[in-house]
Amino acid sequence: MNTPLVTTQPYSPQSYSPWSGLAGTTVAAFDTHCPCHAAVQSSRDLIAVAERSTEAALDRTAAAIAQSRDISWQGNAATLFRTRLERVACEAAVLLDDMDATTRISLSAGAP
């Protein structure tokens, strides 16, 4: 059985404030005492630490790949080795892009 929604006051755009809370309570925008803000900042900090660490590892990987290109080596094993290194280099580039996107998302959402 459906019952109609009963309202005590008619809605009008002038009576609505996006900064008002439910049931007449008020909510301060960007309340600095909210524990959520600290959790968001902590998450951002963790992302930044992991990003720096991963970037350093990827820099070392890129240097090793560049040095391996100078190895004088021929044959099937050499071809397979170089193919796999190129795959790793491509995956590293994707990882860098994904990290950048994650950082942008973490900075654009949540607490100010």
Side-chain angles (χ1 to χ4, degrees):
M1 175 168 109
N2 292 337
T3 58
L5 176 64
V6 178
T7 60
T8 57
Q9 296 178 343
Y11 168 78
S12 72
Q14 294 81 17
S15 68
Y16 174 75
S17 169
W19 305 114
S20 66
L22 299 174
T25 61
T26 59
V27 176
F30 308 118
D31 181 9
T32 57
H33 301 292
C34 176
C36 300
H37 298 290
V40 168
Q41 187 58 51
S42 176
S43 296
R44 287 176 180 163
D45 293 344
L46 287 172
I47 289 170
V49 168
E51 184 177 24
R52 285 191 300 272
S53 173
T54 303
E55 285 175 344
L58 291 175
D59 286 345
R60 291 189 304 273
T61 301
I65 290 171
Q67 289 176 350
S68 72
R69 289 187 179 119
D70 294 337
I71 297 173
S72 177
W73 186 18
Q74 302 299 321
N76 291 337
T79 302
L80 180 61
F81 174 77
R82 289 187 179 100
T83 300
R84 288 184 176 170
L85 282 181
E86 287 306 314
R87 187 179 71 221
V88 168
C90 290
E91 290 172 359
V94 169
L95 178 57
L96 282 171
D97 289 344
D98 288 348
M99 285 190 327
D100 184 50
T102 301
T103 300
R104 281 194 317 270
I105 290 168
S106 76
L107 295 175
S108 68

